[in-house]
Amino acid sequence: MKIISVVGARPNFMKIAPLIRAIQKHNANPQSPIPIQHLLIHTGQHYDYVMSQVFFQDLELPQPDIYLDVGSGTHAEQTGRTMIELEKVLFKERPDLVIVVGDVNSTLAAALAAVKLHIPVAHVEAGLRSFDRTMPEEINRLLTDAISDYLLTPSPDADENLKKEGIPDDKIFLVGDVMVDSLLYNKAKAAQSKIIQQLNLTEKGYALLTLHRPGNVDEKESLLRIIKALSEVSRRIPIVFPAHPRTQKRLKEFGLLSQFLDISPESRAEPESRPIFKHQLLITAPVGYLDFLKLEMHARFVMTDSGGIQEETTVLGIPCLTLRNSTERPITITEGSNTMVGNNTERIIEEAFKILDGKGKESGCPDLWDGRAAERIVEVIGCHRFPKKIV
Ligand code: UD1
Ligand code: UDP
């Protein structure tokens, strides 16, 4: 059986790494019904070292078999270019199955290119819904799920969403969360990271921030509402912000970079000669996966508009304030450490102060977030008989 997996953007790499390990384990097991030949395709949606290559090192991912070099662009440009380039690969390789993960433009583009060639598609992290169609990811999720053959879901709410959309039960497989597979697998390694010393921070002595949603960062007003809250919170605790390239660009454009103290790698050269930061907004370039996990593990709390970070903080039991008005991961609120605060200045300050006053939310761990989701996925796809190829 030949399988092609497609990755493109930062959060895809953590989702595919456990799957590749599970495929290797499947192939090493003499009881497995058929070996899997696996090819990894990188679309090139993310391309900076800190947004792509660093994850291949941190997650010990094999280098991609094929790199499509699609790059940045408008939604149509990026999606269209990915489809055009990937279709050529699919014609040549004629896989039995294409695996896509998450909800980025590369996910939808790959699923569309495959399904039009009658190649079955497996969607990992299917069924999540924010019910906010102004988010590009929601469109990507809805459409990818509508055309996928295997809907591999992380939590029961996702199954319910799919059933309500009329997806037959026999296509839906509740397997758990692959993001958690990566987290649990890499936690001990991440504990060795020296990032806290390198940034001159102290354990539990800082809050961690990420921001990249267009709804938060592409308009000056929204960004200002958040920065106002951050300034207030940073009077009580330093806030460390590894900033996504989209956000860095906007901060420059809006003249807001001066609100932050730059602690990016060049200025980290001699940590001993710099003071421990007290009450400040500290900005840096995005950091690698192991460094970021370490920062999450020892943060007093996390503020984010990321999807994956809501899950990671739930598993780590670190209070998380989600700077959005909706989440496609409601289980992190009902069972985990997540609280939704939007980009409302007062709400952010109020909830952050609650945590600083020792009233942060306790966290449980959802079922099947146990580090074995990828193995369950390979059980599902490894045992299936695929129809004869008609590409
Ligand atoms: C994308 C995903 C989003 C995901 C995020 C993870 C879509 C629609 N969005 O958003 O769901 O949460 O990735 O990080 O797929 N850029 C660089 N270097 C890079 C990559 C991007 O400078 O390596 C800059 C470019 O100016 C680019 C901008 O960031 O135009 C946005 O990149 P893009 O991939 O379009 O969307 P993200 O905001 O990264
Ligand atoms: N992450 C990272 N470095 C950073 C910020 C995030 O390695 O500077 C990791 C984080 O631990 C999580 C993933 O990136 O595993 C989340 O990706 P992102 O927030 O870009 O996308 P989303 O989950 O919102 O789609």
Side-chain angles (χ1 to χ4, degrees), residues 276-291:
I276 299 275
F277 299 114
K278 293 261 185 260
H279 307 301
Q280 270 164 328
L281 286 177
L282 311 170
I283 195 166
T284 182
V287 296
Y289 180 65
L290 298 172
D291 285 343

Side-chain angles (χ1 to χ4, degrees), residues 9-12 14-15 46 50-51 54-55 58 103-104 125 137 179 210 212-213 242-244 285-293 296 304-310 312 324 328-329:
R10 177 166 70 185
N12 294 164
M14 304 80 189
K15 294 170 194 175
H46 285 175
V50 287
M51 296 300 288
V54 68
F55 300 106
D58 280 8
D103 54 16
V104 301
E125 207 183 72
E137 296 81 7
M179 200 78 168
T210 78
H212 69 273
R213 295 287 161 208
H244 188 285
V287 296
Y289 180 65
L290 298 172
D291 285 343
F292 194 81
L293 278 190
E296 276 185 281
T304 191
D305 58 10
S306 157
I309 294 170
Q310 295 173 58
E312 289 170 349
R324 289 170 44 187
E328 61 290 331
R329 290 158 165 95

